[in-house]
Structure formats: structure tokens, C-alpha cells
Amino acid sequence: MKKVIFTLLVMCISVSAIAQNKKAVKSAKNTTTKMTSELSLTKDEAKKVYDIMVAKFTRNIEIKKDNKGDKASAKKEIKKSNKNATKELALVLGNERATQWKSYLAANKKKKKK
């Protein structure tokens, strides 16, 4: 009986982890697709951007999960995580295209607010 309960518990944890990873992968694909079209990324650059985005979204999901009751702390950690991802992107894209991407995000943020 203990083995059955343990097995079910492990399965539940595994399903949860897979669902979180799927969300990160989906978000990373969407972001990479937008970046590829806006910045004319090469296949190599797109792959590197995708890897950075998966890591970023996975970290952010984990941060939200770990700081469920403390939104201020989670927000602070996510901001730090996003800054690190932005630095990594700047290394891959170069400063000019990184700035171009920031401008694109700012323009879209204004559109969403309207």
C-alpha cells in the first residue's frame, strides 16, 4: 500500500513539473518567433535565444511557485531573473538589436494599455 501511494505521489509531482516545462517551452517559442521576425535572427541566433528564453521562463515559474505567499519577493526575484536574461540576450544579439527588441517591447506595451 505504501508503494502505491508513493508511486502516485511521484507521478503527481512529475505531471506538475512537465506541465510547468510545457508552459515555459510554449512561451519561449512565442517569444523566439516574434524576435526572429522583428530582428531577422539567423537559425543559430534563434536557437540561442530560444534556450535563453526557456531558462528564463522556467526560472520565473519556479520563483512564482517558491514565493507563492510573498508577491513582493517574487516580483523582485523575477525582475532580477529577467535582467540576467536580458544580459544574455545582449551577448547573443549585440547591443543594437537588443536595444531594437527593447523598443519593440515598449511599443507593444503601450498598445496593450490603450
Side-chain angles (χ1 to χ4, degrees):
M1 185 68 175
K2 287 182 182 179
K3 287 181 182 180
V4 172
I5 292 172
F6 178 75
T7 304
L8 289 174
L9 181 64
V10 169
M11 287 175 55
C12 289
I13 292 169
S14 298
V15 169
S16 175
I18 291 169
Q20 286 178 352
N21 193 35
K22 283 183 181 180
K23 185 175 180 181
V25 167
K26 183 179 178 183
S27 296
K29 280 182 183 178
N30 290 338
T31 302
T32 304
T33 301
K34 288 177 191 173
M35 289 181 85
T36 300
S37 65
E38 286 297 315
L39 304 175
S40 302
L41 300 180
T42 64
K43 286 183 180 184
D44 184 49
E45 289 171 330
K47 172 69 175 132
K48 289 177 182 177
V49 166
Y50 174 78
D51 292 341
I52 292 168
M53 289 293 122
V54 169
K56 172 191 163 186
F57 289 120
T58 302
R59 276 192 309 263
N60 289 352
I61 289 169
E62 286 298 318
I63 290 168
K64 288 177 184 177
K65 183 179 159 188
D66 293 343
N67 296 294
K68 210 165 197 148
D70 188 6
K71 287 187 178 183
S73 178
K75 188 174 181 179
K76 187 177 180 181
E77 287 189 48
I78 287 173
K79 191 172 184 178
K80 188 177 179 181
S81 172
N82 290 346
K83 256 187 183 176
N84 290 337
T86 301
K87 287 178 184 177
E88 290 179 46
L89 284 173
L91 292 173
V92 171
L93 302 174
N95 288 331
E96 185 179 324
R97 289 199 290 171
T99 303
Q100 186 180 352
W101 179 245
K102 285 181 186 177
S103 298
Y104 170 81
L105 291 177
N108 280 340
K109 192 174 186 179
K110 287 180 183 178
K111 285 181 185 178
K112 286 183 181 181
K113 286 186 177 181
K114 289 182 179 181

